[in-house]
Amino acid sequence: MDPVTRLGVVGCGLMGSGIAEVAALGGLDVRIAEATHDAVEAGRRRITASLDRGVRRGRLSEERRDRALAGLSFTHDLSDLADRQFVVEAVAENRDIKTDVLCTLDKAVEDPAAILATNTSSIPVVDLAVVTERPAQVVGMHFFNPVPVQRLVEVIPALTTSQETVRRTRDFAGQLGKQVIQAPDRSGFVVNALLVPYLLSAVRMVESGGALPDDIDQGMELGCAHPMGPLRLLDLIGLDTAQAVAESMYEEFKEPLYAPPALLRRMVAAGHLGRKTGRGFYSYHA
Ligand code: 3HC
């Protein structure tokens, strides 16, 4: 099978914009679908800012940035993804929204052999595959934040995914310069199944008054050489996303360590979602 040249990305938040950026830098024609004009503009700004930063830091030439930007197009309409060979959905971590997007994409994308990949962090891939008429071509493709930096992609075959789809998805991840691990279709896959209980334990430590956020983070950064401690990482991931992931995992296993602590829920309710809203466990206002 030829390499993918026409990619669709649905959702241009943190993950979708990162996926689109990496693909455009790889020379692909990338069409991004977002629901609203404001979301399109925010996504465009995020990608442009990230590419500009690459130029400022000398990682990227201006020509390469401009070529990547020229390879990106935006739409509000999923039917504009009709000619795509491969589509990655990266909308909010919400089962109803993802189901809706997969159903619509399935009808919109003309080539029945085209692959629909979901960047879900925790929702069982099979649940999303069976809402389409092409469950053999639906697969999990889980990227990590920030996508331009993190080398890993988890490829998650559902019970319904064909071997050919797995092979093409692995090849596509390689085309983007990513390293693949294959993960089981159980909520949390490999990485979040290990990471989320650790992050939630840090929240419980703050909640119980056991330690201050900065001490917890410094502990893991200086003591274990993690690039960022668990609370800084939660602020990067987004507390709403972390809560949604924890809820899916708790729903599947009823494991108390996966249950979102009350403090996390209260912070999400208050809109303290981390870096993206300027406030989480830390404040990001200039
Ligand atoms: N695009 C490209 N490069 C970037 C980048 C971006 N958006 N953000 C950071 N970088 C790179 C650059 O090379 C940058 O160097 P530069 O300063 O020369 O531009 C370098 O990272 C350092 O960046 P910062 O100066 O911003 O410094 P930080 O030390 O804060 O690094 C980090 C940021 C890369 C995020 C690093 O702290 C890190 O790796 N943290 C851990 C992230 C992690 O664990 N991610 C996984 C989250 S789990 C997940 O995504 C799964 C989901 O399902 C929940």
Side-chain angles (χ1 to χ4, degrees), residues 22-184:
V22 169
L25 279 171
L28 276 73
D29 159 2
V30 184
R31 188 158 307 148
I32 305 167
E34 251 297 0
T36 65
H37 175 76
D38 286 354
V40 162
E41 288 314 310
R44 196 196 302 273
R45 276 197 302 276
R46 191 175 291 117
I47 297 173
T48 308
S50 179
L51 291 168
D52 283 347
R53 171 175 154 159
V55 172
R56 270 199 315 279
R57 301 296 172 112
R59 287 192 300 273
L60 208 61
S61 68
E62 288 189 13
E63 294 70 34
R64 200 147 167 247
R65 173 200 57 195
D66 294 346
R67 252 201 325 276
L69 286 172
L72 293 167
S73 56
F74 293 84
T75 178
H76 296 151
D77 189 350
L78 287 180
S79 62
D80 288 336
L81 303 184
D83 69 343
R84 301 291 104 177
Q85 301 158 295
F86 200 109
V87 181
V88 183
E89 96 40 43
V91 299
E93 188 67 6
N94 173 297
R95 186 183 287 260
D96 293 341
I97 299 175
K98 285 193 185 289
T99 301
D100 225 44
V101 165
L102 262 303
C103 253
T104 312
L105 267 180
D106 183 35
K107 295 185 182 74
V109 176
E110 279 164 5
D111 179 358
I115 291 177
L116 309 181
T118 170
N119 181 52
T120 179
S121 304
S122 58
I123 299 170
V125 178
V126 73
D127 291 357
L128 301 171
V130 296
V131 304
T132 72
E133 300 289 323
R134 64 177 95 197
Q137 275 87 252
V138 177
V139 67
M141 192 176 190
H142 185 212
F143 291 82
F144 292 82
N145 184 12
V147 178
V149 179
Q150 307 297 347
R151 289 175 56 216
L152 183 69
V153 166
E154 285 180 307
V155 170
I156 305 113
L159 278 176
T160 46
T161 309
S162 71
Q163 279 306 313
E164 173 65 4
T165 298
V166 173
R167 197 185 59 70
R168 285 171 59 200
T169 305
R170 294 184 79 107
D171 287 352
F172 174 57
Q175 205 186 324
L176 298 181
K178 300 297 181 192
Q179 191 95 28
V180 169
I181 62 169
Q182 192 159 317

Side-chain angles (χ1 to χ4, degrees), residues 264-276:
L264 183 67
R265 293 185 180 284
R266 297 301 172 272
M267 290 178 74
V268 171
H272 299 176
L273 307 183
R275 287 192 190 189
K276 62 185 165 189

